[in-house]
Amino acid sequence: MASENQSFPQLPASVWWSLRKKLHQTLPREISVNYLETALGLGPSTAKKYLSPIKKLGLIGDDGKPTDRAVKWRGDQKDYEAACNEMLDEIYPDELNDAIHDPREQKENIIKWFMNKLRIGNAAATNLASFYILIREADLSSEPESNGSISTKTDNKSKPKQKATPSNTKKDAISTIVSQPTTQEVQAKQNSRFQRLFKFHLDNFLSMMCIMVICIMVSADLVLRS
């Protein structure tokens, strides 16, 4: 039975399952901040934050070495369930354990219990309730298939280019055809350019003729006067 005045541990499900998988593969001599950083890919501050609840769960001793509970916890369904039951009896009071018969169905009741017991908000109580349900169910079948390091990095790889669908290709082709000028439009532009050029040369020619006529008239007038 848990003591009356105590806090309750809380770990994300991803950390719970990833740590169990690492211990299942190889039981380390010591679980430290450096081990959590390396094995789970956590940052220093995050690893330090999770070390305390891991100790609270009885998975490591004061010296950081894995306990007999950790050995059971990493084992098969029977041993895993036994380790989870030890955690329930040691950490959570009977008033909670005895009142809950179906954790999933009674999740709101569990949240309310944590809110009243610890005088905390709904968000914090929900996290504690979710972790309590994870331990209470003690079901290895809920373990994700793939667990490894917990990466917080985003994937910066560029997304593959989307292949053109037949409909898009057809639309692009129609758009290209529509945007290209027709033969009539090209001919009209050429005629307009020719007309402007012809008018320019005609104006120049008429100007030259006027000047020549004026010169002839001036010359004739001088001849007559002399």
Side-chain angles (χ1 to χ4, degrees), residues 162-176:
Q162 185 178 3
K163 294 182 179 180
T165 60
S167 59
N168 290 337
T169 304
K170 185 176 181 180
K171 290 180 180 178
D172 293 340
I174 294 174
S175 176
T176 302

Side-chain angles (χ1 to χ4, degrees), residues 31-145:
I31 296 179
S32 61
V33 171
N34 290 335
Y35 174 83
L36 294 178
E37 287 183 47
T38 305
L40 304 186
L42 300 173
S45 59
T46 305
K48 185 177 181 180
K49 180 179 68 174
Y50 291 153
L51 190 62
S52 178
I54 291 173
K55 183 179 179 181
K56 189 77 173 180
L57 291 166
L59 297 176
I60 59 175
D62 293 334
D63 55 2
K65 294 181 179 180
T67 61
D68 292 339
R69 182 179 297 174
V71 175
K72 287 189 288 187
W73 181 66
R74 73 171 189 157
D76 57 16
Q77 174 61 43
K78 182 179 178 181
D79 289 339
Y80 173 76
E81 185 175 353
C84 289
N85 287 335
E86 289 178 6
M87 295 176 189
L88 288 173
D89 293 338
E90 182 178 300
I91 298 171
Y92 301 95
D94 291 340
E95 67 178 79
L96 175 61
N97 293 333
D98 294 343
I100 302 302
H101 305 288
D102 189 335
R104 291 287 174 181
E105 291 294 329
Q106 295 177 273
K107 184 175 182 179
E108 291 301 322
N109 295 344
I110 301 173
I111 294 173
K112 185 178 180 180
W113 185 88
F114 278 112
M115 291 178 67
N116 294 335
K117 186 73 173 179
L118 303 178
R119 299 293 190 268
I120 57 177
N122 182 268
T126 299
N127 290 335
L128 289 170
S130 297
F131 188 59
Y132 172 82
I133 294 172
L134 179 63
I135 299 175
R136 179 66 181 266
E137 289 182 333
D139 184 10
L140 280 181
S141 65
S142 62
E143 180 179 8
E145 292 183 0

